[in-house]
Amino acid sequence: MGLRKEFDEAVRAVGAIDWNKASSSHCSLFETNIRYLGGLLSAYDLSGQEILLIKAVELGDMLFAGFDTRNHLPANSYNFKKAKAGELTASSRQSLAVLGSMSMEFTRLSQLTGDPKYYTVVEQLKRGLEKTQDQTNLPGLWPKYIDLIEGTRPTSDTLFTLGAQADSAYEYLSKTYLLLGGLDPSYETMHIKAMDAAVKHLLFRPMLPSGDDDAFDAGSPLPDILFSGNAVSTHRDKSDLQPRVQHLGCFAGGMFALGGKLFDRPDHVQIGEQLARGCAWAYEAFSTGIMPELSELVPCERTEKDGDRLEQCPWNETKYRLNKKKAAASLTTHFTSEKTDINGDRKKPLPLPKPFAKISDPRYMLRPEAIESLFILYRITGKKDLLDMAWRMFSAITKATETKFAFSAIEYVHTANPGQPTQKMDSMESFWLAETLKYFYLIFSPEDGEISLDEWVFNTEAHPFRRPRVEVDVRG
C-alpha cells in the first residue's frame, strides 16, 4: 500500500513495548491471543522484521502461563499478579470459542521458533474437543459453553450455534489443518463432522416473498440464499431451530467454502456461497444497505422427507404475520429510525422488510464478517457478481458510517428514509481497520499480488499467517 514509512515507525513503537507496564490488572487470554499475538506473528511473516518475532515470543510466553492451572486448561480471565504467582484457575464454565481459538497462533509460534511447548498445549485442547465431539446432544457440534474444571467434556448446556462464543472454534479447524500442511488429519475429520452437523441442525432457508411481491422486482427469481441460526437441544440428535441471524455468523459462508475447497466437498462450497449471498442479500434488504447486528427471520420448515436438503418454500403471509406477532411480543424495545418525532412524541415502529420478523439489535458495529465471506468466495469461485455485491456493501457502509475524522458504528440500520443521516455512536472498534477495510481492500486487489490463499491463511482477526513449506519454513 506504499506505507513503508508508517510501518517502520510502528515497528519501532512495538519494539519499545514493556509488557510489565499494563494499564489494567488483567486481560482476556482469548482476545489478546487473536488480536495481539496474531498481529505480531502476521506482521513478522509479512515483513521478516526480527523484533516482531521477539515481541511475539515475549507475549506468547506470557499467554502460555495462562495454562498454568490445576488441569492445564486455559484461564481466560488472565490476572497478571495471579499469573506471576502461579495462582490462575480455569473458569468453571467457558465459551467454546476460548477453548478452540488458540490453535493457529500457538502453532505458528512453535513453527517460527522451533519450540514445541506452545503447540503442545493447544494439541491438548484439540484432543479434548476431538474426544467429546460425538458425545454431545448434537454429535459433531459442541455446545456454546464447556466446563473447563471437569475438562473438555460438554456440560448440560443445550444451546448450539456458529455465532458468538463459538464461531472461531469451528473456523480454526480447517485453518489449523492448512497451517499444519495437512499433517494432522484429525482437523479435517473434526471440520467435516461439524459442518455436516451444522447443515442438519443450524442452517435454514428463509421463507421469501414471491416474485410479484413488492419486496422484489416483478417476475424475478427467488435468491438462492441460506442463513445460520441457533439450535436448542435437550435430547440426543434432536433440536429446535432458532432462526436468529447474527452479523457475527456471516463468517460461516467463507468457512464452508474454504473447507469445501480444501477437503473436496463441492456441496460445502455451494453452501458457503448460499450463506455468503444470504448476508449480502440481508444488507440490501434495509434502507441503509447494511444488515443489523441481530435479527430474526421466518424460516422454511424442514420435513423428514427433505433430510439435509434446504429446499425453497412458497410464501405464506399468514405464517409470516403470526411469526412476526410472536417475535414482537418477546421484544422489549421497538426500534425506530429516531426515538421521537419533532413534537417529542414516540414514533411507531417501522415496518420490517419481509421475511424479517424481528430486529433484536439494530446497530452496525463496523463488523467484517459479511465482506470476509464474499472475499473468500470470490477467491475460490471467481464469480464477478460477488465484486458488485462487495462494492454496493462498501458504498453503503462508508455512506452510513463516515464522519469528519473516522468511521463510526451506527445506532440503527433500519431507517424511515434511505437518504436520511444515521445516528452515530462515536465508536470505532479495532476490527474496522484490522479486518473490515482489509477484506474490502483485498477483494478488489489482484490475487497474484496480494495475499494468495494458496500461500496464506487468515486467523479470526484477519491476520494472515504464511503457510509453511514443511521442510523449509519450520525451524527445528
Side-chain angles (χ1 to χ4, degrees):
M1 295 178 67
L3 299 175
R4 185 72 200 197
K5 179 180 178 182
E6 291 81 357
F7 175 76
D8 290 340
E9 181 181 355
V11 170
R12 290 192 294 271
V14 168
I17 290 176
D18 183 350
W19 303 109
N20 287 312
K21 295 180 179 179
S23 59
S24 176
S25 62
H26 64 282
C27 71
S28 163
L29 192 73
F30 165 72
E31 295 288 356
T32 305
N33 173 66
I34 62 176
R35 297 183 186 224
Y36 290 83
L37 182 57
L40 288 168
L41 292 169
S42 177
Y44 173 74
D45 269 344
L46 288 162
S47 69
Q49 295 270 10
E50 197 69 24
I51 187 59
L52 296 170
L53 181 58
I54 292 172
K55 303 309 288 188
V57 171
E58 291 176 2
L59 182 57
D61 285 341
M62 186 184 89
L63 299 181
F64 181 80
F67 289 81
D68 186 15
T69 60
R70 180 177 60 83
N71 51 14
H72 301 298
L73 291 169
N76 187 50
S77 181
Y78 188 104
N79 182 281
F80 302 133
K81 287 185 178 180
K82 289 184 178 181
K84 289 180 179 180
E87 297 175 352
L88 288 174
T89 56
S91 303
S92 61
R93 189 168 176 266
Q94 193 53 264
S95 73
L96 174 64
V98 168
L99 200 61
S101 306
M102 301 190 73
S103 57
M104 286 189 68
E105 294 78 13
F106 273 45
T107 294
R108 189 61 183 144
L109 190 55
S110 280
Q111 289 175 337
L112 291 172
T113 63
D115 189 337
K117 70 177 185 180
Y118 312 105
Y119 176 77
T120 299
V121 292
V122 294
E123 172 67 11
Q124 172 189 314
L125 295 180
K126 183 216 71 177
R127 290 180 181 179
L129 290 172
E130 182 182 22
K131 180 180 178 180
T132 57
Q133 188 173 19
D134 294 329
Q135 299 173 5
T136 71
N137 280 348
L138 301 181
L141 299 171
W142 298 272
K144 186 175 178 179
Y145 288 97
I146 288 180
D147 190 331
L148 292 184
I149 298 301
E150 295 299 323
T152 49
R153 182 183 63 194
T155 68
S156 59
D157 285 291
T158 58
L159 182 63
F160 295 76
T161 182
L162 296 180
Q165 308 300 326
D167 45 6
S168 48
Y170 294 108
E171 176 188 358
Y172 272 25
L173 297 175
S174 60
K175 290 184 173 182
T176 305
Y177 178 93
L178 272 173
L179 197 59
L180 289 168
L183 296 178
D184 185 349
S186 62
Y187 280 105
E188 175 183 1
T189 302
M190 294 165 72
H191 172 85
I192 294 296
K193 284 183 178 180
M195 296 305 100
D196 284 341
V199 172
K200 182 177 181 180
H201 297 288
L202 299 178
L203 304 191
F204 68 94
R205 187 181 290 275
M207 182 181 73
L208 296 173
S210 58
D212 57 359
D213 189 275
D214 58 8
F216 293 93
D217 294 333
S220 62
L222 295 178
D224 185 14
I225 57 176
L226 299 175
F227 289 94
S228 174
N230 300 335
V232 175
S233 175
T234 56
H235 296 88
R236 178 81 171 178
D237 211 27
K238 294 184 181 297
S239 63
D240 293 318
L241 175 70
Q242 295 178 338
R244 298 171 184 170
V245 176
Q246 304 177 38
H247 195 293
L248 274 169
C250 286
F251 86 98
M255 174 177 66
F256 265 94
L258 185 65
K261 182 70 173 179
L262 181 61
F263 303 127
D264 194 24
R265 287 291 299 266
D267 56 325
H268 283 190
V269 176
Q270 180 183 6
I271 289 170
E273 183 174 349
Q274 291 168 316
L275 287 166
R277 290 180 181 274
C279 287
W281 173 86
Y283 264 66
E284 299 190 13
F286 291 91
S287 59
T288 57
I290 307 172
M291 71 179 288
E293 182 80 356
L294 297 172
S295 59
E296 190 168 317
L297 293 161
V298 178
C300 289
E301 298 292 340
R302 191 190 303 198
T303 65
E304 291 186 8
K305 180 182 177 181
D306 294 330
D308 289 344
R309 298 192 308 275
L310 297 160
E311 301 292 346
Q312 290 184 337
C313 60
W315 176 255
N316 185 323
E317 184 70 22
T318 301
K319 178 182 176 182
Y320 172 69
R321 291 182 180 181
L322 288 173
N323 277 262
K324 187 178 176 183
K325 183 177 180 181
K326 181 180 178 181
S330 65
L331 191 63
T332 57
T333 303
H334 294 280
F335 299 105
T336 62
S337 60
E338 294 177 354
K339 295 180 181 179
T340 59
D341 60 21
I342 58 175
N343 298 316
D345 298 324
R346 291 194 65 84
K347 290 186 175 181
K348 294 181 179 180
L350 295 173
L352 296 175
K354 298 175 181 180
F356 286 89
K358 178 171 69 173
I359 301 178
S360 304
D361 186 341
R363 298 174 298 168
Y364 173 61
M365 307 297 292
L366 303 174
R367 290 199 185 278
E369 292 80 16
I371 184 58
E372 172 186 353
S373 284
L374 287 183
F375 162 71
I376 294 172
L377 260 298
Y378 175 66
R379 286 291 182 88
I380 289 174
T381 69
K383 294 183 178 180
K384 299 297 184 182
D385 68 318
L386 297 173
L387 292 178
D388 297 330
M389 290 181 183
W391 183 251
R392 291 195 298 270
M393 193 179 290
F394 178 75
S395 299
I397 290 173
T398 53
K399 179 181 178 181
T401 66
E402 189 170 10
T403 71
K404 181 178 180 181
F405 298 108
F407 293 83
S408 171
I410 58 175
E411 290 275 8
Y412 304 99
V413 301
H414 190 38
T415 59
N417 301 303
Q420 76 181 71
T422 54
Q423 295 185 38
K424 310 296 192 297
M425 296 174 59
D426 194 23
S427 170
M428 189 179 82
E429 292 274 1
S430 63
F431 52 66
W432 167 249
L433 295 173
E435 300 184 68
T436 312
L437 289 181
K438 185 183 296 178
Y439 283 126
F440 274 121
Y441 174 79
L442 289 174
I443 197 172
F444 297 116
S445 300
E447 181 180 353
D448 57 358
E450 298 288 352
I451 315 295
S452 168
L453 295 185
D454 293 330
E455 300 174 1
W456 299 84
V457 56
F458 289 83
N459 87 333
T460 194
E461 288 295 304
H463 299 307
F465 295 170
R466 189 182 297 276
R467 292 176 57 188
R469 293 162 293 175
V470 177
E471 296 181 358
V472 179
D473 288 350
V474 179
R475 301 179 184 179

